[in-house]
């Protein structure tokens, strides 16, 4: 085999190897992400955390999706958790919240190199059977082949038709601060 053919074959093998390793890490996934929410009313402070959040990020397109089981939110007080599931989000009727969106400036994120990237995320949040547009600033951190996604944003309860009982209406805030803290691993196909 002549030298030129060997070089061509080596280049083709390298391209295939590099292409398949990049493709193998084009999606990142978790089933153990964290989402917390906080409501700071005049006399009622409510906070809860959910450690069973599913999330997938497609590094190629910037598509991002979340799935959140509402009954997996944990509260400090059992009574608050019961009221949350029965009276506010009606978890039996609306068991899941979802977010489907895009990392708007995904082109700045280098998923194959460690770094911290400030990004903007836009998409649709479905909660309590209502879907609304959501925009948030966030951070994507790539470290050791893993992706960490962080964001914080507020929603108004009335925009999702979540009614506050009149008995506590003046004690509970009308908006909720949501904090996203997700660590994702490469999705192996």
């Amino acid at each position: 085999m002549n030298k030129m053919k060997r070089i061509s074959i080596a280049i083709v093998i390298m391209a295939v190897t590099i292409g398949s390793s990049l493709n193998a890490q084009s999606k990142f996934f978790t089933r153990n992400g964290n989402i917390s929410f906080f409501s700071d009313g005049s006399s009622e402070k409510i906070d809860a955390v959910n450690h069973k959040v599913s999330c997938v990020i497609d590094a190629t397109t910037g598509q991002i999706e979340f799935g959140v089981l509402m009954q997996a939110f944990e509260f400090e007080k059992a009574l608050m958790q019961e009221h949350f599931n029965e009276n506010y989000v009606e978890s039996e009727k609306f068991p899941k919240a979802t977010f489907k969106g895009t990392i708007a400036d995904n082109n700045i994120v280098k998923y194959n190199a460690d770094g911290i990237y400030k990004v903007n995320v836009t998409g649709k949040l479905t909660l309590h059977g209502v879907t609304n547009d959501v925009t948030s600033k966030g951070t994507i951190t790539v470290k050791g082949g893993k992706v960490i996604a962080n964001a914080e944003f507020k929603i108004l309860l009335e925009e999702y038709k979540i009614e506050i009982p009149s008995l506590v209406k003046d004690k509970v805030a009308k908006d909720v601060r949501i904090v996203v803290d997700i660590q994702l691993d490469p999705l192996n196909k």
Side-chain angles (χ1 to χ4, degrees):
M1 201 182 316
N2 70 27
K3 187 175 182 179
M4 195 59 142
K5 270 189 170 177
R6 282 187 292 205
I7 292 172
S8 296
I9 290 172
I11 290 172
V12 167
I13 290 171
M14 283 180 12
V16 168
T17 304
I18 290 170
S20 58
S21 71
L22 288 175
N23 187 34
Q25 294 193 3
S26 67
K27 290 189 180 177
F28 296 85
F29 177 77
T30 188
R31 284 191 178 104
N32 303 308
N34 297 304
I35 290 184
S36 304
F37 73 82
F38 306 91
S39 175
D40 197 3
S42 62
S43 65
E44 234 6 280
K45 294 183 189 336
I46 302 168
D47 62 276
V49 65
N50 187 327
H51 300 291
K52 298 177 182 175
V53 176
S54 294
C55 178
V56 65
I57 295 177
D58 186 327
T60 306
T61 64
Q63 296 290 333
I64 184 168
E65 291 189 24
F66 287 90
V68 181
L69 292 175
M70 300 309 289
Q71 288 190 349
F73 276 101
E74 300 168 3
F75 292 74
E76 190 175 312
K77 299 176 184 172
L79 188 58
M80 279 187 178
Q81 188 163 335
E82 183 181 322
H83 288 177
F84 171 79
N85 284 302
E86 291 178 8
N87 302 331
Y88 294 95
V89 297
E90 302 174 277
S91 296
E92 295 263 334
K93 189 174 179 183
F94 306 106
K96 193 174 184 182
T98 60
F99 176 83
K100 294 181 183 183
T102 305
I103 301 168
D105 33 17
N106 190 58
N107 60 323
I108 69 166
V109 182
K110 293 178 177 51
Y111 290 94
N112 57 352
D114 287 1
I116 300 171
Y117 309 93
K118 299 290 183 192
V119 295
N120 294 293
V121 178
T122 60
K124 300 203 175 284
L125 174 64
T126 302
L127 171 66
H128 197 241
V130 178
T131 302
N132 286 311
D133 292 330
V134 173
T135 301
S136 176
K137 293 184 182 301
T139 304
I140 299 285
T141 303
V142 179
K143 187 173 181 181
K146 296 179 185 281
V147 172
I148 301 163
N150 299 101
E152 187 174 318
F153 59 97
K154 282 189 176 184
I155 63 167
L156 293 172
L157 296 176
E158 68 183 24
E159 290 180 347
Y160 292 90
K161 298 186 179 169
I162 297 173
E163 295 180 18
I164 301 169
S166 58
L167 183 63
V168 293
K169 202 168 204 119
D170 295 334
K171 298 177 183 178
V172 176
K174 293 170 179 38
D175 61 2
V176 173
R177 181 171 51 105
I178 298 172
V179 177
V180 177
D181 181 18
I182 307 285
Q183 180 174 308
L184 304 101
D185 295 310
L187 180 63
N188 298 323
K189 295 180 180 184

